[in-house]
Amino acid sequence: MQLSLGILSDDAAWKKAKGATEHLLKELGIKNVTWKKHESDPFWHPGRSAQGFVGEHLVATIGEIHPELRERYKFEGRVALADISVKELAELASHADYQPMNAYPEVKRDLAFILDSSIEVQSIVDSIKQLNPLIRQAEWFDTYKGKGIAPGKKSVAIRVTIGSTERTLESSETEKVIEDIKEHVTKEYRAESRS
């Protein structure tokens, strides 16, 4: 049995589908989801689709439909879908421990990098999370190939959440974390920062 979600929107359709799916998984206590690009299926957009795994379990496929399908059915906006396995949800769900809302403000920043197409984005996201305890979250939300991007390259966008559970961070501290992330990714993955 599958749970499906459809969104007809502007350029943010795929981000909304991914966000809704991640929120559902989080609420069910499903952790350690690894997102991998999904390029081989002609139904899905080759640059804006991904599959979420917990270990070997495929829990969700999300993304926009292929541009050719969108054109064929004359959708006026972008169409994003989430296809979620109810069977896997039932097997993997656990009681999520209550965590109080952080009393101190967090900063969200979107970072973009150009890198070789062969590099798995999840490895970059995982490495960012390990850089500094002030990095509360890092998540990939977009990949672009096409005009303005050299052949064999891709542009990836990663949203980073920075904050402390003990105090409000100074803007200089936040900027230092951002610069450290950029330096790490550009050096370790031979990437170019676009942000």
Side-chain angles (χ1 to χ4, degrees):
M1 182 182 295
Q2 299 296 114
L3 172 64
S4 297
L5 166 71
I7 295 175
L8 175 63
S9 184
D10 52 15
D11 286 353
W14 128 264
K15 299 175 189 177
K16 291 176 181 177
K18 186 170 186 288
T21 303
E22 289 179 324
H23 179 73
L24 173 63
L25 297 176
K26 181 178 178 181
E27 288 298 308
L28 292 174
I30 299 175
K31 303 176 182 179
N32 301 318
V33 179
T34 299
W35 293 98
K36 299 180 180 179
K37 60 185 178 182
H38 186 47
E39 298 180 334
S40 59
D41 191 323
F43 178 83
W44 297 97
H45 191 299
R48 294 188 177 188
S49 58
Q51 291 183 308
F53 292 84
V54 176
E56 298 297 319
H57 298 269
L58 172 61
V59 294
T61 302
I62 57 154
E64 291 183 14
I65 65 172
H66 198 284
E68 292 180 0
L69 288 176
R70 190 181 70 182
E71 182 67 24
R72 182 186 307 169
Y73 293 104
K74 303 188 186 305
F75 290 113
E76 295 183 0
R78 293 185 179 273
V79 179
L81 302 173
D83 189 25
I84 305 166
S85 171
V86 174
K87 177 178 179 293
E88 297 295 347
L89 292 187
E91 292 182 1
L92 296 170
S94 62
H95 175 68
D97 295 332
Y98 169 74
Q99 292 184 350
M101 183 179 294
N102 191 355
Y104 302 98
E106 296 178 335
V107 174
K108 294 183 183 294
R109 289 282 294 273
D110 293 346
L111 305 177
F113 301 94
I114 297 176
L115 56 147
D116 290 344
S117 295
S118 60
I119 296 176
E120 284 287 347
V121 180
Q122 189 64 43
S123 67
I124 299 177
V125 170
D126 291 341
S127 70
I128 289 175
K129 291 178 180 178
Q130 302 301 316
L131 280 179
N132 191 311
L134 296 178
I135 300 173
R136 308 279 292 165
Q137 183 59 276
E139 52 188 347
W140 160 65
F141 67 87
D142 195 20
T143 297
Y144 172 76
K145 297 178 183 178
K147 186 177 180 181
I149 304 297
K153 299 285 186 178
K154 62 185 175 184
S155 173
V156 300
I158 298 171
R159 178 165 296 131
V160 179
T161 303
I162 301 167
S164 170
T165 58
E166 300 175 349
R167 59 190 175 84
T168 298
L169 297 179
E170 299 287 341
S171 59
S172 59
E173 293 177 285
T174 301
E175 290 304 316
K176 176 66 166 57
V177 173
I178 294 296
E179 291 305 313
D180 287 347
I181 293 172
K182 291 180 180 179
E183 181 179 351
H184 167 74
V185 175
T186 54
K187 181 179 178 181
E188 295 297 321
Y189 296 91
R190 299 182 210 171
E192 175 188 344
S193 175
R194 303 187 71 195
S195 52

